[in-house]
Amino acid sequence: MSLIPWRNKKEDGGAGQLTPLGEFRGEMNRLFESFLRDGFNFGERATGLPSLLSNWGPAVDVEETDKQIRVRAEIPGVKAEDLEISIRGDALVIAGEKKGSEERSEGGYYYQERRFGSFRREVTLPTAVDPDDVRAEYANGILTVELKKSLEALPKKIAVKAT
Amino acid sequence: MSTVNVHQKAHGQTEEARAERTRGGQAYRPHVDILESKDELILVADMPGVKHDNIDINFEEHVLTIQGRVEPRYGEGVNFLLYEYGVGDFYRTFRLSEEIDSTKIHAEHANGVLTVYLPKSEKTKPRKIAVTASA
């Protein structure tokens, strides 16, 4: 289901004529609105590309505690074995493929809102982590990755001597 | 009666929840696919974070309601570096025509995806009528 955004005539510079300034203002308004709506999630709607072409990535939460970093991603409808998780430099890379439901369809779609295709998301980690101590779990469509901070990244207390 | 705004994740569309809900707070409208096969309609909804036991499907007066309760995932005092998705229940209603045999609706749930099968009723299925030749 694709809806064409209704545009105010005023944005077009009035009387349906596109003046360069009116066009620019309209474009800025749209960008601003899409930012208010979607934030930094520059997905299909913001780029105008169909989901198969745009390399979409799942939404993530990153939490930091003293000793570890936990990354959670909403990836419904993927098999655990189809998820690929790796650490590259200072980034955690989550990649995989979500299969569409078209193979079950014989008469076409009424609604198609879910995204599918291959996805990839790189999350920059705030500190160095131990690449050998990473735990990943996938349950009910949520991927949870727990990374331990490396020893060098842990805070160290420095004693101050009174002289 | 508590009214709840239903948000579609990452889309910002809202709709007012029609039925009364026992839990307040924010609810999200799940993304769905609806497909048609020869014998049934198949509704596929993305509901990440919902446990099997927390799904509630209701059919009443031609309205199919799907609800998924999401347990809060976060404790106190967590330092978030990124917070991209909201955590809340899922809620969405669909109006079904009489061509659906409501007694045969069934559903399954796997990997955060709910699939509801809505079989077409016998009377709407195309039927071949055999012609007997009479001499």
Side-chain angles (χ1 to χ4, degrees):
Chain A
M1 188 174 62
S2 74
L3 293 171
I4 294 152
W6 179 80
R7 280 167 64 185
N8 196 329
K9 257 204 174 147
K10 276 184 214 151
E11 281 179 13
D12 296 335
Q17 276 188 334
L18 274 178
T19 64
L21 194 64
E23 199 179 353
F24 176 70
R25 203 177 66 179
E27 190 62 35
M28 286 312 287
N29 282 347
R30 268 196 301 284
L31 272 173
F32 192 64
E33 276 168 21
S34 87
F35 177 74
L36 285 180
R37 196 174 49 224
D38 300 334
F40 287 105
N41 193 4
F42 295 120
E44 180 188 349
R45 279 164 64 99
T47 56
L49 288 167
S51 59
L52 278 174
L53 294 175
S54 72
N55 205 355
W56 62 284
V60 297
D61 276 3
V62 181
E63 322 166 3
E64 185 182 8
T65 57
D66 291 346
K67 287 188 181 144
Q68 65 167 14
I69 296 156
R70 187 185 288 156
V71 179
R72 283 192 175 104
E74 275 193 326
I75 317 173
V78 183
K79 285 190 190 126
E81 58 262 31
D82 290 342
L83 285 167
E84 246 175 71
I85 293 148
S86 54
I87 291 173
R88 259 180 226 186
D90 64 345
L92 170 76
V93 182
I94 301 167
E97 194 180 345
K98 181 168 169 178
K99 297 209 167 65
S101 31
E102 75 279 355
E103 71 268 18
R104 278 184 285 183
S105 166
E106 291 156 29
Y109 282 93
Y110 285 99
Y111 277 61
Q112 217 227 314
E113 299 169 351
R114 298 166 69 233
R115 279 239 173 115
F116 59 91
S118 57
F119 58 86
R120 183 189 160 86
R121 180 73 202 259
E122 248 177 72
V123 181
T124 310
L125 298 167
T127 59
V129 295
D130 183 354
D132 300 320
D133 196 0
V134 181
R135 276 191 8 181
E137 211 182 274
Y138 181 69
N140 294 321
I142 306 269
L143 171 74
T144 309
V145 185
E146 284 179 344
L147 309 114
K148 294 258 160 43
K149 288 185 187 174
S150 68
L151 287 175
E152 298 91 71
L154 287 177
K156 264 176 224 122
K157 257 210 170 140
I158 290 141
V160 181
K161 266 187 218 162
T163 48
Chain B
M1 177 173 164
S2 65
T3 49
V4 179
N5 285 324
V6 181
H7 301 268
Q8 183 152 8
K9 285 207 178 181
H11 278 244
Q13 295 173 15
T14 60
E15 66 172 23
E16 197 112 301
R18 247 180 279 175
E20 196 167 339
R21 292 174 80 249
T22 46
R23 271 154 58 95
Q26 207 152 54
Y28 290 92
R29 203 162 78 155
H31 288 198
V32 302
D33 286 353
I34 299 177
L35 336 156
E36 183 175 3
S37 74
K38 205 162 76 243
D39 302 318
E40 57 193 358
L41 291 178
I42 304 166
L43 190 154
V44 189
D46 275 351
M47 295 163 92
V50 180
K51 281 189 190 149
H52 184 83
D53 303 335
N54 294 339
I55 297 174
D56 198 19
I57 305 169
N58 247 307
F59 184 75
E60 204 181 334
E61 288 180 17
H62 303 301
V63 175
L64 178 82
T65 307
I66 51 176
Q67 278 187 78
R69 198 154 53 79
V70 179
E71 284 160 14
R73 272 170 260 168
Y74 310 119
E76 295 283 308
V78 177
N79 178 26
F80 280 102
L81 303 169
L82 270 177
Y83 192 93
E84 292 180 345
Y85 64 90
V87 176
D89 296 352
F90 288 99
Y91 178 92
R92 194 159 178 181
T93 58
F94 299 90
R95 183 162 285 274
L96 302 181
S97 76
E98 287 179 30
E99 289 156 26
I100 300 296
D101 188 346
S102 60
T103 56
K104 287 185 188 148
I105 296 175
H106 55 111
E108 59 191 44
H109 176 249
N111 296 326
V113 177
L114 173 73
T115 309
V116 186
Y117 297 93
L118 307 158
K120 295 179 187 173
S121 63
E122 287 300 322
K123 64 177 180 203
T124 55
K125 277 186 200 163
R127 207 170 303 160
K128 259 226 160 109
I129 288 137
V131 181
T132 46
S134 55

